[in-house]
Amino acid sequence: MTRIDEKLAQGGTLLLDGAIGTELQRRGVPMDDDAWCGRANLSHPDAVRDMHRDYIAAGADIITTNTFGTNRYTLEPAGLADRFEEINSAAVSLARKARDDAGRDVALAGSMSTMPPLAHVDETPSAEAAADDYRRLAETLAEGGCDVILCEMMMTAGHAEACVDAARATGLPVWVGFSVHEKAGRMITFPNERSMEGPSSTPLREADRKRQPFIPFAERVMANGGAAAGIMHSEVEDTAPGLDALKTVWSGPLLAYAHSGTFTPPDWTFRGVIEPAPYAEAAAGWITEQGVQIVGGCCGLTPDHIRALKERLN
């Protein structure tokens, strides 16, 4: 992380990898109804390792562990709660093996999310009840050898704060990715702490005052600091406005990685996915116009997108 910290301090740009779960699905790995891609660390370890290798070959400076859907409360309805340590330790080990095989110095980002069990959303515990699960996951990622904790898709009140606090407690650098989804032209903000669904919404592209539901949320989550923050798992066209809103409450390094396609749980629908060259051009705009320093791809995006982004940055 010393090299990465120095590059960020000097205003340089770092290349993150692309999608994890959807890339595994694209390679034929079945997605679990509740734990999404979490089961793959046990059922398809070679696919996980090879995916990491391909992202490194594409030019990624940081690769992300396959732990987005591996909180204990998410694994429980999938019948995998008793294999929590095994699944998460395997995820870090597979990423490390890919790095060793590649022979290139890349950092490992340990992914944490607040994803609920997909088929049992109503069984998602409260933030207070889930805090221990977040702590256990953060500690497992740190002990396994991750260089940074990446808190992804922060959009659920209470859970986001608990997740980020658990990551901070490891002492590792913490990067936080906020989602700014739109639905019928309106941004889904931050619903009740028990699920990912909720009626609260506000326009994203209108006046700043109408972005207020997002801004106080981001301010609360980042109140105790972090190493970087940004917009992820959002549409390409929503990423720049989201970054502009975030910059009103965050002055540190920025990250950005968008998705393309749609989610029909537990599978990603790849129709209409942006081509690599246009994505690279959009991401280059986030760097020059919003000041992003950490850039990659999210759901639906592949090693080809990261390779195009690497070429565009060069």
Side-chain angles (χ1 to χ4, degrees):
M1 284 302 295
T2 300
R3 178 178 59 85
I4 286 178
D5 290 342
E6 289 176 351
K7 193 165 186 177
L8 291 175
Q10 294 166 3
T13 303
L14 296 167
L15 187 56
L16 194 64
D17 56 9
I20 302 299
T22 68
E23 180 60 15
L24 290 171
Q25 178 194 325
R26 193 176 71 89
R27 295 173 184 230
V29 177
M31 298 291 100
D32 188 274
D33 286 344
D34 279 306
W36 194 37
C37 56
R39 188 185 292 271
N41 296 323
L42 301 182
S43 64
H44 294 76
D46 290 348
V48 175
R49 183 200 59 218
D50 291 348
M51 171 194 63
H52 290 313
R53 285 176 178 167
D54 289 348
Y55 278 126
I56 295 172
D61 300 305
I62 306 110
I63 56 173
T64 309
T65 59
N66 180 35
T67 49
F68 185 92
T70 58
N71 287 312
R72 192 206 61 80
Y73 70 76
T74 302
L75 296 174
E76 187 169 24
L80 296 170
D82 61 342
R83 305 186 74 178
F84 169 85
E85 298 288 349
E86 181 184 5
I87 287 171
N88 288 288
S89 295
V92 182
S93 178
L94 290 166
R96 292 178 63 181
K97 182 66 165 61
R99 177 177 64 181
D100 293 343
D101 291 346
R104 189 161 72 80
D105 186 19
V106 300
L108 301 187
S111 172
M112 294 181 63
S113 80
T114 59
M115 189 191 91
L118 298 178
H120 296 83
V121 172
D122 291 341
E123 298 175 17
T124 305
S126 68
E128 291 78 11
D132 187 59
D133 289 349
Y134 295 133
R135 177 190 60 78
R136 289 178 61 190
L137 178 55
E139 290 176 353
T140 300
L141 295 173
E143 292 167 1
C146 288
D147 302 297
V148 59
I149 303 295
L150 178 56
C151 295
E152 301 192 89
M153 201 173 168
M154 296 294 102
M155 60 180 290
T156 309
H159 278 268
E161 291 93 324
C163 181
V164 175
D165 286 346
R168 290 192 189 105
T170 66
L172 291 176
V174 178
W175 296 352
V176 182
F178 296 95
S179 295
V180 286
H181 296 271
E182 286 198 340
K183 191 173 186 179
R186 297 179 68 81
M187 184 177 93
I188 301 173
T189 53
F190 308 102
N192 68 74
E193 64 179 20
R194 293 193 63 82
S195 79
M196 299 295 287
E197 300 298 329
S200 179
S201 62
T202 186
L204 178 61
R205 298 188 183 90
E206 297 181 15
D208 282 348
R209 64 183 178 83
K210 293 186 177 180
R211 292 179 184 155
Q212 289 305 302
F214 169 70
I215 292 173
F217 175 82
E219 190 171 30
R220 287 198 310 274
V221 173
M222 301 306 298
N224 294 321
I231 303 300
M232 57 81 61
H233 197 62
S234 306
E235 296 290 345
V236 173
E237 61 268 25
D238 297 331
T239 299
L243 288 164
D244 289 339
L246 179 61
K247 286 170 68 176
T248 66
V249 296
W250 173 252
S251 59
L254 289 170
L255 60 87
Y257 47 113
H259 69 215
S260 188
T262 56
F263 192 36
T264 304
D267 295 322
W268 192 258
T269 301
F270 292 90
R271 289 190 299 273
V273 171
I274 189 171
E275 291 295 323
Y279 182 75
E281 196 63 30
W286 306 331
I287 294 168
T288 58
E289 296 173 22
Q290 276 76 35
V292 165
Q293 290 185 267
I294 304 162
V295 64
C298 197
C299 294
L301 304 189
T302 71
D304 287 341
H305 291 81
I306 301 307
R307 186 172 294 105
L309 185 50
K310 176 72 171 179
E311 293 171 356
R312 178 65 179 80
L313 296 181
N314 285 342

